[in-house]
Amino acid sequence: NAEEIIAARKLLIQSASSLRDAMSKAADGSDADVLAYAEAKARHIMIQKQVAGLTAEAGRALGAFRKLEGTQEAKVVGDFLEQATGKSLEELKQEAKLGASLDTPQKVSKFIQDSQKPSFGSMILEYWINGLISGPATHTTYAIGNTILGLWNAVPETAMAALIGKIRGNEAVKLGEVGAQLNAIKESLPTAASAAAKALKTGVTTLLPGEEARQMAFQGSNNTEPARITNDAATWKEAGADAFSAMKGLRDAFVANGELVQTGAIPDFDFGKVRVPVGSIIRAPARAIAAIHSFFRTVNYSMDKAGIAYRTAVDSGLTGNDFDTKVSDIISNPSEEVMKQARSSATNLTLMGEGGKFTQAISRLTNISVDLPLLGQTKLLKFIDPFVHIGSNVIDQAIIQRTPIGLFSEQIRDDLSGKNGDVARDFAASRMIVGSALAMTIGGLASQGLVSGSGPSDPKEAAAWKMLGGNQPHSVKIGDVWYDVHRLGPIGMLTGIAADMYDVAHAATQEDMTKVGAMFVHAITQNIMDESFMRGPSDLIKALTDSDRYGDQYLRNFISSFVPFSVGMSQMARAIDPYSRQTRSTLDAIKAKIPFESENLYARRDIWGEKITNKDVLGVSGLSAIYESQINHDPVNQKMLALGMFPSQPERRIRNVQLNDQQYDDYCRIAGQMTKLRLDQIVNNNKFSSLPESAQVEVIKKTISATREAARSIIMMQNPSIIKQATENKIAKITGGNVKQQAE
């Protein structure tokens, strides 16, 4: 009513005045003064958003600030402020100095309102990151990796933890927890589906019971109120209702004043009764990621909670109906400690943990904003490594927790010593033992040629290893087909590293230690850098260390990554297009990511002049990143691999004249096919196999050289302009000037 409106306006003016006072104190005051300013700012933003009064949720938010009043520890204050406000202590002080110079409540309110508006730079970053996570194949493979890791933790690692406890004489973890967790998967599916549907509607990851809201991976920049699940199991009917609500919300994205919540920097625009959902469409990949996270976190939470319930009931000495009642009661009404432990496990297994000190330091570094002309506040380093936490968690789960390298971690050492309890001790030992056993098994399979590591470190040798032999890095061989596993999360990475360690150990008995050391470094770096979430830093490092080879390629790829839904479009183009395409310019790189348009580019050719096909995948093309590679049994290819011969592609020049795309394509095709036809006759001749290896190498080299020279002659006959240009260039070189000038 009118009285409430007047009171609300007075409250807003009073709040602005109080905020200005807080700014003045915080500008040059203590950490406690900055906390007071942060509280006043939070209150004012809430009043601006909802002048009718502070809600219970707002009261809890403000209460969080009050808990730290009087705390003088800079780290505690700084960490809290950065998590709660998104700004560091120094940034808030600088903001307070700017606001303290304002002389009216109206200016203060406008200053705070403007400070909440996303910058153009943040809009570009949001657009770019959503393009990187737009690939359906990436989502599918990520979900498979989550499933593998969850089951790995629930079955072999839980069973080993129980065995370790039994050997110690103190069975902290029970073998029956395996069955309890597997049963929890089935029971939790409706609740997980409901959580995913809620995340699809809100655009942010659904919270687990008792969980405080926090910024999670791929979440929008606005502080949207996330949905929350309860400890009560949902039914499929309820999950269906949530899914219907989510679909209705997505439909409402096209209706002004609809229910779909905006969760990011890029806005939607209303024109009359119609909404143009620009931001909502761009953020669609982030909604999908939030749904995947919510689904697997819910399943993992339920699994861990079921394991704890089973363990507690056994420790209580209960049997029969009393046992079942106790388990059901803990699952339905868990204590805060049970929920906390289950939430932690769920978050870590979904690769969403906050990471260690190093990861948090890198995260703070990449979150530094720079005020740029036109763009405003922009997190520039995010364009290099936007996925710090995901990549770090994959490395932590694969290498730190599941190999002896974890002994260098203080957290792991504390767990193994029993400092964090018997359960933590047995699980830490179990993860390391089971992970090491897997690594040893993979090493044995690698010795039989059934698992591959990173492959040769030399680029030419690696290209030949893949093309001539049909090999594929980080893969498992079944029959005559290699299946790529390195994108399957921590277990996939552990598999690749174990295969590489076999190669290193094998080389140590045959090669000098300098080469062995180089192989070891290559093995570790390739497994980490080939992880999709580490691709940005990996490509930048290559561009900086070998700019002649990778510099232009890095720039082309970076610019083309701004194509709408760049990764998703690229995956669709790859699924539709049968051939891999050449990208020699930025425009080519952009075209290569557009379905059907990519087919207008020239196909890449192998050294035999044949078009290089895009690899098949396990499952549906475009929806899977588990790539396949067929073993190549061709006698010529096998002979060249055995001889260690790695011929490069024909040079892009003839008689020092640069070839255009069509001429070079013809040259590669003719030269390659002529060479292969001639080598087929030579290698399959019994006399050739009786020659010494050095002679075989010489014969193949001369054949390649002769057939390429013949191909050059054919191309020059087809293109007389090449001969003309070569002649002009030669005359100009001799005379020291341009041919036309000499003629004049």
Side-chain angles (χ1 to χ4, degrees), residues 141-405:
T141 310
Y142 178 61
I144 295 172
N146 268 280
T147 302
I148 293 172
L149 183 60
L151 290 172
W152 189 261
N153 178 76
V155 182
E157 291 181 346
T158 299
M160 177 57 70
L163 178 60
I164 291 171
K166 187 177 287 291
I167 294 172
R168 289 179 184 273
N170 178 18
E171 193 176 353
V173 180
K174 319 301 178 187
L175 185 59
E177 291 179 37
V178 174
Q181 291 184 82
L182 292 177
N183 184 64
I185 295 176
K186 180 185 68 175
E187 299 295 331
S188 66
L189 289 180
T191 307
S194 175
K198 289 175 180 176
L200 199 61
K201 182 176 180 180
T202 63
V204 293
T205 303
T206 302
L207 298 179
L208 299 172
E211 185 173 31
E212 294 293 333
R214 67 180 180 89
Q215 195 75 12
M216 296 187 185
F218 315 113
Q219 189 165 299
S221 59
N222 285 359
N223 294 322
T224 305
E225 183 67 23
R228 184 185 298 276
I229 64 168
T230 67
N231 285 297
D232 296 327
T235 63
W236 282 113
K237 184 177 181 180
E238 291 169 332
D242 285 326
F244 175 79
S245 178
M247 293 303 105
K248 183 177 182 296
L250 293 174
R251 184 207 66 183
D252 287 345
F254 295 90
V255 181
N257 302 316
E259 295 180 3
L260 190 66
V261 180
Q262 178 158 321
T263 61
I266 303 173
D268 293 335
F269 301 95
D270 289 344
F271 292 94
K273 295 184 178 180
V274 178
R275 173 175 293 174
V276 182
V278 178
S280 295
I281 291 174
I282 287 172
R283 284 184 293 274
R287 286 184 184 274
I289 289 287
I292 293 172
H293 282 164
S294 300
F295 181 90
F296 283 101
R297 288 183 81 228
T298 301
V299 171
N300 290 331
Y301 173 81
S302 300
M303 290 168 62
D304 201 71
K305 190 172 59 170
I308 295 171
Y310 183 94
R311 185 188 314 146
T312 304
V314 171
D315 288 340
S316 300
L318 301 175
T319 58
N321 291 334
D322 292 338
F323 180 92
D324 294 338
T325 301
K326 181 68 172 179
V327 170
S328 298
D329 182 59
I330 294 175
I331 291 175
S332 302
N333 303 290
S335 65
E336 179 56 40
E337 184 60 31
V338 170
M339 289 191 294
K340 180 180 178 181
Q341 182 175 329
R343 287 196 305 266
S344 176
S345 176
T347 301
N348 290 331
L349 287 175
T350 322
L351 308 177
M352 293 177 63
E354 294 183 355
K357 294 179 180 179
F358 178 76
T359 299
Q360 293 178 30
I362 295 296
S363 179
R364 285 194 294 271
L365 182 64
T366 57
N367 278 303
I368 292 176
S369 292
V370 181
D371 195 358
L372 300 174
L374 301 178
L375 296 180
Q377 293 292 330
T378 306
K379 299 176 180 178
L380 284 178
L381 294 180
K382 279 285 187 182
F383 288 101
I384 297 175
D385 191 358
F387 310 124
V388 173
H389 283 93
I390 297 292
S392 173
N393 282 317
V394 171
I395 295 168
D396 176 70
Q397 292 283 339
I399 301 176
I400 306 301
Q401 296 196 30
R402 290 177 168 81
T403 73
I405 293 176

